[in-house]
Amino acid sequence: MLRLSIGLIIIAIIAAIFGFGGIAAGAAYAAKIVFFIALALIVLSLIFGGFRKS
């Protein structure tokens, strides 16, 4: 998921360089959403994985 987020950020940067503001904004927004979903899943995995080992 983090690879997807990085890929979307790269697409947003390239689109912004070429002047495609709408596409750049959409890709940046999607990258932000994917990043926070991945972050939430990592935190949940650490929490529930820690309970399982104890």
Side-chain angles (χ1 to χ4, degrees):
M1 265 195 169
L2 291 177
R3 285 186 189 177
L4 178 61
S5 179
I6 292 170
L8 287 169
I9 287 293
I10 291 171
I11 290 172
I13 291 170
I14 292 171
I17 289 172
F18 288 119
F20 299 110
I23 295 171
Y29 182 73
K32 187 168 65 170
I33 290 174
V34 171
F35 175 76
F36 284 120
I37 290 172
L39 189 65
L41 290 175
I42 289 170
V43 169
L44 288 173
S45 177
L46 289 173
I47 290 172
F48 290 117
F51 287 144
R52 185 179 304 166
K53 290 182 182 178
S54 298

